[in-house]
Amino acid sequence: MIKVIFALVVMLTGVFQSNAQVFIGLGFSDTQLSERALGDAAGFSLMVEKDVNLSKSTRCKMHPNLHVSFLFSGVDRDFNPIYLNIISISPKVSYEVISIKKVKVAPYANPFLSMLLGLQSGDPALESAPIDKLKGGIESGVRVDMVLSKTTIRLIPIAVQLGESFYRQRMISLLFKL
């Protein structure tokens, strides 16, 4: 897993010889780890994406993505509270279906790989149980780019990761071009 994360970081830092744009931003994430929603957690996330044009028309793009979430179960939840970090990578490929002067809208669907690290406590008399899982599946969503005079704002109003064993993660993100 460390090799996969390292490979993505290398891609994000400049292996592609193009005029790529790096986007960095924050968002909100919530995760469901089981069918009965006993492992639900929500919190904030950090995201880094780098755009790479896949065609001369620049409508088809790849954006390797690194997404790190810091999630907690509800404060009112005394039974099995959870703290969870999720490191997720995905090679997003999107096609701009709407491309007008200042606004571009592009849906995407791609595979993802997530590493879940955290603690789930049980009975107060017992120790916390570590969470160390690797999840994979399909991620889909929509990105909306709004070009301003000196920067570009990327809004991802909804992105959903669906994985094995009832794993679900929903994300809303706001990114800025650096």
Side-chain angles (χ1 to χ4, degrees):
M1 180 63 189
I2 299 299
K3 291 179 184 178
V4 173
I5 292 172
F6 178 75
L8 183 68
V9 170
V10 168
M11 284 192 315
L12 290 172
T13 56
V15 169
F16 293 106
Q17 297 300 319
S18 67
N19 294 329
Q21 303 171 357
V22 176
F23 287 85
I24 295 178
L26 294 169
F28 172 80
S29 290
D30 73 334
T31 300
Q32 178 181 340
L33 297 176
S34 66
E35 182 179 16
R36 295 183 186 169
L38 295 176
D40 283 4
F44 71 95
S45 57
L46 304 169
M47 185 182 292
V48 177
E49 282 188 359
K50 182 173 182 171
D51 283 358
V52 178
N53 292 334
L54 294 178
S55 67
K56 291 185 180 187
S57 71
T58 70
R59 292 187 86 154
C60 187
K61 292 186 180 185
M62 178 177 171
H63 353 232
N65 174 288
L66 176 65
H67 185 256
V68 180
S69 298
F70 304 93
L71 309 174
F72 307 89
S73 60
V75 193
D76 59 340
R77 188 168 159 189
D78 294 328
F79 180 68
N80 285 342
I82 192 171
Y83 169 74
L84 190 62
N85 289 331
I86 299 175
I87 301 169
S88 191
I89 57 173
S90 59
K92 293 181 182 178
V93 176
S94 64
Y95 185 79
E96 295 172 357
V97 293
I98 298 174
S99 182
I100 51 180
K101 209 173 208 178
K102 302 258 183 197
V103 177
K104 296 174 182 165
V105 178
Y108 62 87
N110 54 272
F112 76 89
L113 185 63
S114 291
M115 184 169 54
L116 286 67
L117 303 168
L119 289 174
Q120 184 168 15
S121 65
D123 189 317
L126 301 175
E127 292 183 19
S128 297
I131 298 171
D132 185 6
K133 298 178 182 178
L134 195 60
K135 299 287 186 178
I138 299 293
E139 176 180 350
S140 65
V142 174
R143 72 171 172 83
V144 179
D145 290 348
M146 295 165 278
V147 180
L148 303 176
S149 61
K150 294 186 179 184
T151 190
T152 302
I153 296 174
R154 174 166 292 167
L155 173 65
I156 301 175
I158 187 69
V160 178
Q161 292 180 342
L162 304 173
E164 73 267 356
S165 303
F166 299 102
Y167 173 75
R168 309 285 184 265
Q169 183 172 1
R170 295 166 294 275
M171 301 162 282
I172 299 170
S173 303
L174 182 64
L175 298 98
F176 297 92
K177 181 178 84 172
L178 295 181

